[in-house]
Amino acid sequence: MIKLGYARVSTGEQNLDLQLDALKKEGCKNVFTDKVSGVKSGKPSFEKLMEYVRPGDTIVIWKLDRLGRSTVKLIELMELLKQKGINLKSLSESIDTGTATGNLFFQFMCVLAEHERNVISERTKAGLESARARGRSGGRPKGLSQRYLKISAEVKE
C-alpha cells in the first residue's frame, strides 16, 4: 500500500508548489501533475496515475476540486476507485475513504448526488408538463428556417 499524489492547476501560469509541498509532507511516493482545466475531461497525468495505482493504494489530493468540477463526475470517479479497491484522501477536506468515517462521508456524497439527479429529473418533467399544458410542444421546428430556405433557393439557381 503506497500513497500516490495528484496535483492539478488550471493554467500553465499557475503554480503547483502549494499542492506539491502538501503531498510531499503527506509522504506520497510519486506525484502526478497536470496543468489543464478541471472542466476538460482529458488529464494525461491523471490517466497515467489510474494505470499505475493498485488495489490498496491511496491517491492523495490537495482538494476535491483538483479531480474535477462536476459533483456527479467526482462521485462516479470515487465509485470507480472504490470498485478497484483504491482509497482517496483529500487533505483540505480531511476525507480519507480508507477509514470508516471517510467511507461514510463518501456514501453520504453518493446519496446527495443521487438526490440531485432526482430533483433535476423532477424539475425537467414538471417543466415539460407545464409547457405542454400551455400548448407548447418543444423541440426543434420541422423543416428549414426562413434564412436557410432563402440560401437553398439561391443554391438551386
Side-chain angles (χ1 to χ4, degrees):
M1 295 192 303
I2 60 173
K3 291 181 179 179
L4 300 166
Y6 178 69
R8 182 188 61 78
V9 291
S10 298
T11 67
E13 294 84 38
Q14 291 178 321
N15 189 314
L16 288 163
D17 291 346
L18 172 70
Q19 295 177 60
L20 295 176
D21 291 346
L23 295 172
K24 182 179 178 184
K25 184 178 177 183
E26 183 61 28
C28 293
K29 178 180 176 188
N30 295 326
V31 177
F32 296 77
T33 63
D34 278 316
K35 290 191 176 189
V36 63
S37 169
V39 177
K40 302 215 182 224
S41 58
K43 297 177 184 73
S45 288
F46 184 75
E47 292 165 14
K48 288 179 187 172
L49 168 61
M50 291 303 291
E51 292 172 11
Y52 185 85
V53 70
R54 298 291 175 252
D57 291 349
T58 299
I59 295 175
V60 182
I61 54 174
W62 167 246
K63 199 170 184 181
L64 283 174
D65 69 0
R66 298 300 83 202
L67 292 178
R69 301 279 185 208
S70 162
T71 303
V72 174
K73 292 289 184 191
L74 184 59
I75 297 297
E76 289 172 358
L77 173 63
M78 290 178 77
E79 186 60 37
L80 174 68
L81 294 176
K82 184 178 178 183
Q83 289 172 5
K84 291 184 171 199
I86 299 164
N87 297 315
L88 179 71
K89 184 171 186 173
S90 174
L91 301 175
S92 294
E93 291 94 356
S94 299
I95 297 169
D96 183 350
T97 62
T99 68
T101 302
N103 200 40
L104 173 66
F105 183 76
F106 163 73
Q107 291 169 347
F108 183 68
M109 287 181 61
C110 289
V111 168
L112 288 176
E114 183 176 350
H115 175 69
E116 180 181 358
R117 285 190 297 269
N118 291 340
V119 168
I120 289 169
S121 176
E122 285 176 0
R123 285 183 191 150
T124 301
K125 289 175 185 174
L128 289 171
E129 287 175 20
S130 175
R132 279 189 215 106
R134 290 189 316 271
R136 297 184 65 198
S137 60
R140 205 185 274 187
K142 295 189 182 348
L144 295 174
S145 67
Q146 291 300 318
R147 176 180 173 219
Y148 289 107
L149 282 171
K150 182 179 177 187
I151 292 171
S152 174
E154 290 172 2
V155 170
K156 289 179 183 176
E157 292 175 0

